[in-house]
PDB file of all heavy atoms in Angstrom:
ATOM      1  N   TYR Y   1      23.555  23.545  25.282  1.00 98.00           N
ATOM      2  CA  TYR Y   1      23.437  24.931  25.734  1.00 98.00           C
ATOM      3  C   TYR Y   1      23.526  25.043  27.235  1.00 98.00           C
ATOM      4  O   TYR Y   1      23.267  24.083  27.985  1.00 98.00           O
ATOM      5  CB  TYR Y   1      22.122  25.548  25.238  1.00 98.00           C
ATOM      6  CG  TYR Y   1      20.870  24.887  25.795  1.00 98.00           C
ATOM      7  CD1 TYR Y   1      20.308  25.329  26.996  1.00 98.00           C
ATOM      8  CD2 TYR Y   1      20.244  23.870  25.115  1.00 98.00           C
ATOM      9  CE1 TYR Y   1      19.160  24.735  27.503  1.00 98.00           C
ATOM     10  CE2 TYR Y   1      19.099  23.262  25.613  1.00 98.00           C
ATOM     11  CZ  TYR Y   1      18.563  23.703  26.813  1.00 98.00           C
ATOM     12  OH  TYR Y   1      17.444  23.109  27.316  1.00 98.00           O
ATOM     13  N   ALA Y   2      23.888  26.222  27.678  1.00 98.00           N
ATOM     14  CA  ALA Y   2      23.846  26.602  29.105  1.00 98.00           C
ATOM     15  C   ALA Y   2      23.039  27.879  29.196  1.00 98.00           C
ATOM     16  O   ALA Y   2      23.151  28.776  28.349  1.00 98.00           O
ATOM     17  CB  ALA Y   2      25.264  26.813  29.641  1.00 98.00           C
ATOM     18  N   LYS Y   3      22.220  27.986  30.228  1.00 98.00           N
ATOM     19  CA  LYS Y   3      21.400  29.171  30.420  1.00 98.00           C
ATOM     20  C   LYS Y   3      21.257  29.444  31.917  1.00 98.00           C
ATOM     21  O   LYS Y   3      21.495  28.567  32.761  1.00 98.00           O
ATOM     22  CB  LYS Y   3      20.022  28.966  29.809  1.00 98.00           C
ATOM     23  CG  LYS Y   3      19.193  27.909  30.552  1.00 98.00           C
ATOM     24  CD  LYS Y   3      17.719  27.997  30.280  1.00 98.00           C
ATOM     25  CE  LYS Y   3      16.937  27.116  31.234  1.00 98.00           C
ATOM     26  NZ  LYS Y   3      15.501  27.111  31.004  1.00 98.00           N
ATOM     27  N   GLY Y   4      20.839  30.675  32.238  1.00 98.00           N
ATOM     28  CA  GLY Y   4      20.600  30.983  33.647  1.00 98.00           C
ATOM     29  C   GLY Y   4      20.456  32.478  33.869  1.00 98.00           C
ATOM     30  O   GLY Y   4      20.516  33.291  32.931  1.00 98.00           O
ATOM     31  N   LYS Y   5      20.323  32.830  35.134  1.00 98.00           N
ATOM     32  CA  LYS Y   5      20.225  34.228  35.560  1.00 98.00           C
ATOM     33  C   LYS Y   5      21.203  34.443  36.703  1.00 98.00           C
ATOM     34  O   LYS Y   5      21.187  33.732  37.699  1.00 98.00           O
ATOM     35  CB  LYS Y   5      18.823  34.557  36.014  1.00 98.00           C
ATOM     36  CG  LYS Y   5      17.779  34.642  34.898  1.00 98.00           C
ATOM     37  CD  LYS Y   5      16.413  35.017  35.440  1.00 98.00           C
ATOM     38  CE  LYS Y   5      15.377  35.122  34.331  1.00 98.00           C
ATOM     39  NZ  LYS Y   5      15.596  36.316  33.504  1.00 98.00           N
ATOM     40  N   LEU Y   6      22.081  35.453  36.515  1.00 98.00           N
ATOM     41  CA  LEU Y   6      23.005  35.871  37.575  1.00 98.00           C
ATOM     42  C   LEU Y   6      22.567  37.265  38.015  1.00 98.00           C
ATOM     43  O   LEU Y   6      22.927  38.254  37.401  1.00 98.00           O
ATOM     44  CB  LEU Y   6      24.447  35.879  37.028  1.00 98.00           C
ATOM     45  CG  LEU Y   6      24.935  34.540  36.443  1.00 98.00           C
ATOM     46  CD1 LEU Y   6      26.325  34.701  35.840  1.00 98.00           C
ATOM     47  CD2 LEU Y   6      24.927  33.429  37.505  1.00 98.00           C
ATOM     48  N   GLY Y   7      21.737  37.295  39.043  1.00 97.00           N
ATOM     49  CA  GLY Y   7      21.103  38.541  39.404  1.00 97.00           C
ATOM     50  C   GLY Y   7      20.135  38.952  38.312  1.00 97.00           C
ATOM     51  O   GLY Y   7      19.247  38.203  37.942  1.00 97.00           O
ATOM     52  N   LYS Y   8      20.356  40.139  37.748  1.00 98.00           N
ATOM     53  CA  LYS Y   8      19.508  40.610  36.666  1.00 98.00           C
ATOM     54  C   LYS Y   8      20.087  40.341  35.275  1.00 98.00           C
ATOM     55  O   LYS Y   8      19.507  40.744  34.258  1.00 98.00           O
ATOM     56  CB  LYS Y   8      19.248  42.114  36.824  1.00 98.00           C
ATOM     57  CG  LYS Y   8      18.399  42.445  38.049  1.00 98.00           C
ATOM     58  CD  LYS Y   8      18.005  43.906  38.072  1.00 98.00           C
ATOM     59  CE  LYS Y   8      17.040  44.184  39.240  1.00 98.00           C
ATOM     60  NZ  LYS Y   8      16.578  45.594  39.249  1.00 98.00           N
ATOM     61  N   LEU Y   9      21.218  39.663  35.235  1.00 98.00           N
ATOM     62  CA  LEU Y   9      21.825  39.285  33.960  1.00 98.00           C
ATOM     63  C   LEU Y   9      21.308  37.935  33.520  1.00 98.00           C
ATOM     64  O   LEU Y   9      21.527  36.910  34.186  1.00 98.00           O
ATOM     65  CB  LEU Y   9      23.360  39.244  34.076  1.00 98.00           C
ATOM     66  CG  LEU Y   9      24.099  38.817  32.808  1.00 98.00           C
ATOM     67  CD1 LEU Y   9      23.926  39.876  31.729  1.00 98.00           C
ATOM     68  CD2 LEU Y   9      25.571  38.576  33.093  1.00 98.00           C
ATOM     69  N   ASP Y  10      20.622  37.917  32.394  1.00 98.00           N
ATOM     70  CA  ASP Y  10      20.094  36.700  31.792  1.00 98.00           C
ATOM     71  C   ASP Y  10      21.041  36.289  30.665  1.00 98.00           C
ATOM     72  O   ASP Y  10      21.400  37.120  29.808  1.00 98.00           O
ATOM     73  CB  ASP Y  10      18.699  36.959  31.269  1.00 98.00           C
ATOM     74  CG  ASP Y  10      18.061  35.724  30.636  1.00 98.00           C
ATOM     75  OD1 ASP Y  10      18.462  35.343  29.532  1.00 98.00           O
ATOM     76  OD2 ASP Y  10      17.138  35.159  31.263  1.00 98.00           O
ATOM     77  N   TYR Y  11      21.476  35.025  30.623  1.00 98.00           N
ATOM     78  CA  TYR Y  11      22.437  34.610  29.636  1.00 98.00           C
ATOM     79  C   TYR Y  11      22.050  33.278  29.010  1.00 98.00           C
ATOM     80  O   TYR Y  11      21.322  32.454  29.593  1.00 98.00           O
ATOM     81  CB  TYR Y  11      23.832  34.499  30.242  1.00 98.00           C
ATOM     82  CG  TYR Y  11      24.022  33.297  31.150  1.00 98.00           C
ATOM     83  CD1 TYR Y  11      24.482  32.087  30.658  1.00 98.00           C
ATOM     84  CD2 TYR Y  11      23.736  33.373  32.508  1.00 98.00           C
ATOM     85  CE1 TYR Y  11      24.680  30.979  31.474  1.00 98.00           C
ATOM     86  CE2 TYR Y  11      23.891  32.271  33.345  1.00 98.00           C
ATOM     87  CZ  TYR Y  11      24.358  31.081  32.823  1.00 98.00           C
ATOM     88  OH  TYR Y  11      24.517  29.986  33.624  1.00 98.00           O
ATOM     89  N   ARG Y  12      22.530  33.083  27.785  1.00 98.00           N
ATOM     90  CA  ARG Y  12      22.424  31.806  27.078  1.00 98.00           C
ATOM     91  C   ARG Y  12      23.668  31.636  26.234  1.00 98.00           C
ATOM     92  O   ARG Y  12      24.099  32.555  25.526  1.00 98.00           O
ATOM     93  CB  ARG Y  12      21.152  31.753  26.212  1.00 98.00           C
ATOM     94  CG  ARG Y  12      21.067  32.834  25.162  1.00 98.00           C
ATOM     95  CD  ARG Y  12      19.792  32.731  24.342  1.00 98.00           C
ATOM     96  NE  ARG Y  12      18.584  33.035  25.109  1.00 98.00           N
ATOM     97  CZ  ARG Y  12      17.345  32.853  24.657  1.00 98.00           C
ATOM     98  NH1 ARG Y  12      17.161  32.361  23.455  1.00 98.00           N
ATOM     99  NH2 ARG Y  12      16.325  33.149  25.400  1.00 98.00           N
ATOM    100  N   ILE Y  13      24.259  30.442  26.285  1.00 98.00           N
ATOM    101  CA  ILE Y  13      25.451  30.104  25.513  1.00 98.00           C
ATOM    102  C   ILE Y  13      25.208  28.751  24.872  1.00 98.00           C
ATOM    103  O   ILE Y  13      24.677  27.836  25.521  1.00 98.00           O
ATOM    104  CB  ILE Y  13      26.698  30.047  26.403  1.00 98.00           C
ATOM    105  CG1 ILE Y  13      26.937  31.388  27.126  1.00 98.00           C
ATOM    106  CG2 ILE Y  13      27.937  29.677  25.598  1.00 98.00           C
ATOM    107  CD1 ILE Y  13      27.992  31.309  28.182  1.00 98.00           C
ATOM    108  N   ALA Y  14      25.557  28.604  23.612  1.00 98.00           N
ATOM    109  CA  ALA Y  14      25.308  27.321  22.910  1.00 98.00           C
ATOM    110  C   ALA Y  14      26.436  26.984  21.972  1.00 98.00           C
ATOM    111  O   ALA Y  14      27.062  27.869  21.386  1.00 98.00           O
ATOM    112  CB  ALA Y  14      23.986  27.407  22.152  1.00 98.00           C
ATOM    113  N   VAL Y  15      26.668  25.676  21.817  1.00 98.00           N
ATOM    114  CA  VAL Y  15      27.541  25.163  20.756  1.00 98.00           C
ATOM    115  C   VAL Y  15      26.680  24.205  19.945  1.00 98.00           C
ATOM    116  O   VAL Y  15      26.031  23.309  20.486  1.00 98.00           O
ATOM    117  CB  VAL Y  15      28.787  24.465  21.355  1.00 98.00           C
ATOM    118  CG1 VAL Y  15      28.442  23.368  22.338  1.00 98.00           C
ATOM    119  CG2 VAL Y  15      29.658  23.898  20.219  1.00 98.00           C
ATOM    120  N   SER Y  16      26.652  24.426  18.635  1.00 98.00           N
ATOM    121  CA  SER Y  16      25.729  23.706  17.763  1.00 98.00           C
ATOM    122  C   SER Y  16      26.467  22.955  16.669  1.00 98.00           C
ATOM    123  O   SER Y  16      27.589  23.341  16.284  1.00 98.00           O
ATOM    124  CB  SER Y  16      24.737  24.670  17.124  1.00 98.00           C
ATOM    125  OG  SER Y  16      24.064  25.429  18.114  1.00 98.00           O
ATOM    126  N   ASP Y  17      25.832  21.938  16.164  1.00 97.00           N
ATOM    127  CA  ASP Y  17      26.347  21.137  15.063  1.00 97.00           C
ATOM    128  C   ASP Y  17      25.549  21.522  13.810  1.00 97.00           C
ATOM    129  O   ASP Y  17      24.414  21.090  13.656  1.00 97.00           O
ATOM    130  CB  ASP Y  17      26.161  19.659  15.378  1.00 97.00           C
ATOM    131  CG  ASP Y  17      27.017  18.754  14.517  1.00 97.00           C
ATOM    132  OD1 ASP Y  17      27.809  19.294  13.726  1.00 97.00           O
ATOM    133  OD2 ASP Y  17      26.897  17.530  14.612  1.00 97.00           O
ATOM    134  N   PRO Y  18      26.121  22.350  12.928  1.00 97.00           N
ATOM    135  CA  PRO Y  18      25.341  22.811  11.771  1.00 97.00           C
ATOM    136  C   PRO Y  18      24.860  21.643  10.886  1.00 97.00           C
ATOM    137  O   PRO Y  18      25.598  20.688  10.687  1.00 97.00           O
ATOM    138  CB  PRO Y  18      26.326  23.706  11.015  1.00 97.00           C
ATOM    139  CG  PRO Y  18      27.316  24.117  12.026  1.00 97.00           C
ATOM    140  CD  PRO Y  18      27.451  22.947  12.972  1.00 97.00           C
ATOM    141  N   MET Y  19      23.660  21.777  10.388  1.00 97.00           N
ATOM    142  CA  MET Y  19      23.140  20.757   9.474  1.00 97.00           C
ATOM    143  C   MET Y  19      23.777  20.905   8.101  1.00 97.00           C
ATOM    144  O   MET Y  19      24.227  21.984   7.716  1.00 97.00           O
ATOM    145  CB  MET Y  19      21.611  20.855   9.384  1.00 97.00           C
ATOM    146  CG  MET Y  19      20.944  20.584  10.723  1.00 97.00           C
ATOM    147  SD  MET Y  19      19.142  20.650  10.621  1.00 97.00           S
ATOM    148  CE  MET Y  19      18.729  20.257  12.330  1.00 97.00           C
ATOM    149  N   ALA Y  20      23.821  19.812   7.359  1.00 96.00           N
ATOM    150  CA  ALA Y  20      24.517  19.783   6.076  1.00 96.00           C
ATOM    151  C   ALA Y  20      23.893  20.757   5.082  1.00 96.00           C
ATOM    152  O   ALA Y  20      22.687  20.712   4.823  1.00 96.00           O
ATOM    153  CB  ALA Y  20      24.496  18.365   5.509  1.00 96.00           C
ATOM    154  N   PHE Y  21      24.718  21.615   4.538  1.00 96.00           N
ATOM    155  CA  PHE Y  21      24.266  22.572   3.525  1.00 96.00           C
ATOM    156  C   PHE Y  21      23.729  21.835   2.293  1.00 96.00           C
ATOM    157  O   PHE Y  21      22.866  22.347   1.567  1.00 96.00           O
ATOM    158  CB  PHE Y  21      25.421  23.505   3.170  1.00 96.00           C
ATOM    159  CG  PHE Y  21      25.101  24.532   2.102  1.00 96.00           C
ATOM    160  CD1 PHE Y  21      23.903  25.253   2.172  1.00 96.00           C
ATOM    161  CD2 PHE Y  21      25.951  24.785   1.047  1.00 96.00           C
ATOM    162  CE1 PHE Y  21      23.587  26.207   1.203  1.00 96.00           C
ATOM    163  CE2 PHE Y  21      25.663  25.729   0.088  1.00 96.00           C
ATOM    164  CZ  PHE Y  21      24.467  26.421   0.155  1.00 96.00           C
ATOM    165  N   GLN Y  22      24.231  20.626   2.061  1.00 96.00           N
ATOM    166  CA  GLN Y  22      23.790  19.863   0.907  1.00 96.00           C
ATOM    167  C   GLN Y  22      22.287  19.566   0.903  1.00 96.00           C
ATOM    168  O   GLN Y  22      21.696  19.248  -0.123  1.00 96.00           O
ATOM    169  CB  GLN Y  22      24.566  18.527   0.809  1.00 96.00           C
ATOM    170  CG  GLN Y  22      26.005  18.684   0.406  1.00 96.00           C
ATOM    171  CD  GLN Y  22      26.938  19.019   1.535  1.00 96.00           C
ATOM    172  OE1 GLN Y  22      26.512  19.429   2.611  1.00 96.00           O
ATOM    173  NE2 GLN Y  22      28.239  18.868   1.328  1.00 96.00           N
ATOM    174  N   ARG Y  23      21.650  19.658   2.089  1.00 94.00           N
ATOM    175  CA  ARG Y  23      20.227  19.390   2.204  1.00 94.00           C
ATOM    176  C   ARG Y  23      19.391  20.648   2.098  1.00 94.00           C
ATOM    177  O   ARG Y  23      18.140  20.589   2.179  1.00 94.00           O
ATOM    178  CB  ARG Y  23      19.921  18.694   3.522  1.00 94.00           C
ATOM    179  CG  ARG Y  23      20.738  17.438   3.772  1.00 94.00           C
ATOM    180  CD  ARG Y  23      20.309  16.297   2.865  1.00 94.00           C
ATOM    181  NE  ARG Y  23      18.959  15.826   3.183  1.00 94.00           N
ATOM    182  CZ  ARG Y  23      18.370  14.819   2.563  1.00 94.00           C
ATOM    183  NH1 ARG Y  23      18.982  14.235   1.549  1.00 94.00           N
ATOM    184  NH2 ARG Y  23      17.159  14.446   2.920  1.00 94.00           N
ATOM    185  N   ALA Y  24      19.990  21.793   1.920  1.00 94.00           N
ATOM    186  CA  ALA Y  24      19.266  23.070   1.864  1.00 94.00           C
ATOM    187  C   ALA Y  24      18.711  23.313   0.458  1.00 94.00           C
ATOM    188  O   ALA Y  24      19.285  22.829  -0.543  1.00 94.00           O
ATOM    189  CB  ALA Y  24      20.182  24.232   2.278  1.00 94.00           C
ATOM    190  N   ALA Y  25      17.628  24.091   0.383  1.00 86.00           N
ATOM    191  CA  ALA Y  25      16.994  24.364  -0.900  1.00 86.00           C
ATOM    192  C   ALA Y  25      17.916  25.143  -1.835  1.00 86.00           C
ATOM    193  O   ALA Y  25      17.890  24.946  -3.058  1.00 86.00           O
ATOM    194  CB  ALA Y  25      15.701  25.120  -0.666  1.00 86.00           C
ATOM    195  N   GLY Y  26      18.753  26.031  -1.282  1.00 84.00           N
ATOM    196  CA  GLY Y  26      19.636  26.839  -2.129  1.00 84.00           C
ATOM    197  C   GLY Y  26      21.021  26.291  -2.264  1.00 84.00           C
ATOM    198  O   GLY Y  26      21.979  27.038  -2.524  1.00 84.00           O
ATOM    199  N   TYR Y  27      21.181  24.964  -2.129  1.00 92.00           N
ATOM    200  CA  TYR Y  27      22.515  24.363  -2.173  1.00 92.00           C
ATOM    201  C   TYR Y  27      23.213  24.575  -3.504  1.00 92.00           C
ATOM    202  O   TYR Y  27      22.645  24.414  -4.577  1.00 92.00           O
ATOM    203  CB  TYR Y  27      22.393  22.856  -1.906  1.00 92.00           C
ATOM    204  CG  TYR Y  27      23.678  22.097  -2.150  1.00 92.00           C
ATOM    205  CD1 TYR Y  27      24.806  22.361  -1.412  1.00 92.00           C
ATOM    206  CD2 TYR Y  27      23.741  21.112  -3.155  1.00 92.00           C
ATOM    207  CE1 TYR Y  27      25.995  21.671  -1.632  1.00 92.00           C
ATOM    208  CE2 TYR Y  27      24.913  20.411  -3.363  1.00 92.00           C
ATOM    209  CZ  TYR Y  27      26.045  20.697  -2.615  1.00 92.00           C
ATOM    210  OH  TYR Y  27      27.204  20.012  -2.832  1.00 92.00           O
ATOM    211  N   SER Y  28      24.483  24.978  -3.403  1.00 90.00           N
ATOM    212  CA  SER Y  28      25.355  25.117  -4.557  1.00 90.00           C
ATOM    213  C   SER Y  28      26.623  24.300  -4.283  1.00 90.00           C
ATOM    214  O   SER Y  28      27.282  24.519  -3.252  1.00 90.00           O
ATOM    215  CB  SER Y  28      25.727  26.576  -4.799  1.00 90.00           C
ATOM    216  OG  SER Y  28      26.643  26.703  -5.859  1.00 90.00           O
ATOM    217  N   PRO Y  29      26.970  23.325  -5.154  1.00 92.00           N
ATOM    218  CA  PRO Y  29      28.059  22.390  -4.826  1.00 92.00           C
ATOM    219  C   PRO Y  29      29.453  22.959  -4.929  1.00 92.00           C
ATOM    220  O   PRO Y  29      30.409  22.353  -4.429  1.00 92.00           O
ATOM    221  CB  PRO Y  29      27.858  21.267  -5.857  1.00 92.00           C
ATOM    222  CG  PRO Y  29      27.194  21.948  -7.009  1.00 92.00           C
ATOM    223  CD  PRO Y  29      26.326  23.012  -6.431  1.00 92.00           C
ATOM    224  N   SER Y  30      29.621  24.085  -5.579  1.00 94.00           N
ATOM    225  CA  SER Y  30      30.978  24.608  -5.817  1.00 94.00           C
ATOM    226  C   SER Y  30      31.019  26.097  -5.500  1.00 94.00           C
ATOM    227  O   SER Y  30      30.012  26.805  -5.620  1.00 94.00           O
ATOM    228  CB  SER Y  30      31.421  24.346  -7.254  1.00 94.00           C
ATOM    229  OG  SER Y  30      30.502  24.923  -8.162  1.00 94.00           O
ATOM    230  N   PRO Y  31      32.174  26.608  -5.103  1.00 96.00           N
ATOM    231  CA  PRO Y  31      32.285  28.040  -4.776  1.00 96.00           C
ATOM    232  C   PRO Y  31      32.168  28.922  -6.010  1.00 96.00           C
ATOM    233  O   PRO Y  31      32.510  28.516  -7.128  1.00 96.00           O
ATOM    234  CB  PRO Y  31      33.680  28.153  -4.159  1.00 96.00           C
ATOM    235  CG  PRO Y  31      34.447  26.992  -4.685  1.00 96.00           C
ATOM    236  CD  PRO Y  31      33.428  25.877  -4.878  1.00 96.00           C
TER     237      PRO Y  31
END
């Protein structure tokens, strides 16, 4: 992530690696 303040503008930007859906409680293996 990147964060900061440019004057009165507060910002946050992130790139994330989603966790495997297969480990979720509501996992469904097929569409």
Side-chain angles (χ1 to χ4, degrees):
Y1 64 88
K3 67 162 191 181
K5 289 181 179 289
L6 303 175
K8 293 188 175 183
L9 178 66
D10 181 286
Y11 72 92
R12 59 180 69 189
I13 301 170
V15 55
S16 305
D17 197 4
M19 296 183 180
F21 179 45
Q22 288 84 344
R23 306 289 292 181
Y27 170 63
S28 176
S30 56

